[in-house]
Amino acid sequence: MDDRDARGAGAASAEARHSVPSYARKPAEEFRQTMMVRYLQAMASHSASAPVEQPTVTGPAAASPATTGTPTIAGLQVRHVMKRSVAGVLADTPFLDIARMLARRQIGAAPVLDDSQRVIGVIAESDLLARAADLAIPDVPHGRFARLLGHRQQAGDAGGTAATLMTTPALTVHPWTSVVEAARTAARSRIRQIFVTDHRDRLVGVVSRAELLHALVRDDTAIRSEIVSHVVRDELHIDPEQVNVRVRNGTVTLRGTIDARLVPRLIEEVAAIPDVFEVEDHLVAH
């Protein structure tokens, strides 16, 4: 392509982008509401089709990653979506050390462990805030516990330890617990994250409510398949080889060279898919 052709392609692309619908990125609140509806539908569908199975296999073998491909919603287990790197605190950890750790890691809660790494409770920001209010340290507004970190501890008043401040018993799930059941547990308890333990109650990971939600309602592979087969090929009659489609966490990236008249239509069709949050347009129009 010479300079003239390149300028022409650039002009065509610019003109096509002026026609792109303004809703290529969906309002975050609307998208969250849509995802919640689809999440509830997924759980209801699963409940209607079959009861949640509880595997009899326990221990390390049950917690090892699956090697047979992506599971269906019915087959999704916590081990497929949990994070294995999670920070815990020992039962005798002082109040201010816990506050520093939560602030440094920017997390809202941490599991409390005994010497064998078993989860015996959970300590959250709210527990620390309640204790901070009790201590009534001057000039420290309630609700801003991070300000406590700049104050020195008073001799004889350590503010308590994880064991005295924690909520118990801890709400936990196992790696082999189904994602549907874990999502129900999180919804009933109104908590943002659940800690994962093995068959001996030892900490092995953590899973958030958002991760459970995404696992149930958002399937990037299925979204891409719908875009390529239904939108690109069947609706717009574009050769799938002309469009590179990448989907990650609901965000669709489009690359390739297509007819300028089809650019806004393609983006409009992709943006209309319920599970798509945003469309990133890197198409070249000709």
Side-chain angles (χ1 to χ4, degrees), residues 257-274:
T257 301
I258 64 174
D259 189 318
R261 295 169 298 178
L262 296 177
V263 171
R265 289 187 58 194
L266 175 57
I267 296 174
E268 180 179 359
E269 292 288 341
V270 172
I273 296 174

Side-chain angles (χ1 to χ4, degrees), residues 141-219:
H142 294 171
R144 306 292 288 275
F145 88 90
R147 298 252 185 113
L148 292 171
L149 308 185
H151 291 259
R152 298 178 60 87
Q153 283 182 272
Q154 298 294 325
D157 186 4
T161 64
T164 61
L165 297 170
M166 68 184 182
T167 298
T168 187
L171 184 62
T172 62
V173 295
H174 296 301
W176 55 88
T177 301
S178 75
V179 164
V180 172
E181 186 60 32
R184 287 198 187 101
T185 299
R188 284 196 300 264
S189 305
R190 298 184 180 183
I191 58 177
R192 295 182 180 179
Q193 58 184 5
I194 304 179
F195 297 104
V196 186
T197 60
D198 64 13
H199 63 295
R200 294 182 179 176
D201 295 328
R202 296 173 301 190
L203 180 68
V204 295
V206 63
V207 64
S208 71
R209 184 170 56 189
E211 289 163 342
L212 293 170
L213 172 60
H214 291 170
L216 287 173
V217 303
R218 187 181 297 170
D219 185 336

Side-chain angles (χ1 to χ4, degrees), residues 210-271:
E211 289 163 342
L212 293 170
L213 172 60
H214 291 170
L216 287 173
V217 303
R218 187 181 297 170
D219 185 336
D220 289 343
T221 301
I223 293 173
R224 184 184 183 281
S225 178
E226 179 178 350
I227 293 171
V228 173
S229 62
H230 179 68
V231 177
V232 174
R233 185 186 63 197
D234 298 339
E235 291 291 326
L236 302 182
H237 306 293
I238 301 172
D239 183 352
E241 295 296 323
Q242 291 181 260
V243 183
N244 179 275
V245 181
R246 181 175 180 270
V247 185
R248 182 175 178 82
N249 294 330
T251 296
V252 179
T253 303
L254 300 173
R255 289 185 171 86
T257 301
I258 64 174
D259 189 318
R261 295 169 298 178
L262 296 177
V263 171
R265 289 187 58 194
L266 175 57
I267 296 174
E268 180 179 359
E269 292 288 341
V270 172

Side-chain angles (χ1 to χ4, degrees), residues 63-206:
S64 58
T67 58
T68 57
T70 303
T72 62
I73 287 180
L76 272 176
Q77 297 178 353
V78 170
R79 63 192 173 95
H80 294 125
V81 297
M82 73 180 191
K83 294 178 180 177
R84 297 180 184 275
S85 177
V86 53
V89 297
L90 294 176
D92 59 356
T93 303
F95 166 74
L96 286 182
D97 287 346
I98 302 168
R100 290 190 182 97
M101 189 271 281
L102 294 184
R104 183 175 64 253
R105 292 179 174 268
Q106 297 184 337
I107 55 178
V112 181
L113 313 175
D114 65 13
D115 292 336
S116 299
Q117 296 296 297
R118 290 193 297 265
V119 178
I120 58 175
V122 176
I123 188 160
E125 280 183 341
S126 56
D127 299 314
L128 301 180
L129 291 170
R131 183 54 177 157
D134 290 340
L135 292 174
I137 298 177
D139 302 321
V140 180
H142 294 171
R144 306 292 288 275
F145 88 90
R147 298 252 185 113
L148 292 171
L149 308 185
H151 291 259
R152 298 178 60 87
Q153 283 182 272
Q154 298 294 325
D157 186 4
T161 64
T164 61
L165 297 170
M166 68 184 182
T167 298
T168 187
L171 184 62
T172 62
V173 295
H174 296 301
W176 55 88
T177 301
S178 75
V179 164
V180 172
E181 186 60 32
R184 287 198 187 101
T185 299
R188 284 196 300 264
S189 305
R190 298 184 180 183
I191 58 177
R192 295 182 180 179
Q193 58 184 5
I194 304 179
F195 297 104
V196 186
T197 60
D198 64 13
H199 63 295
R200 294 182 179 176
D201 295 328
R202 296 173 301 190
L203 180 68
V204 295
V206 63

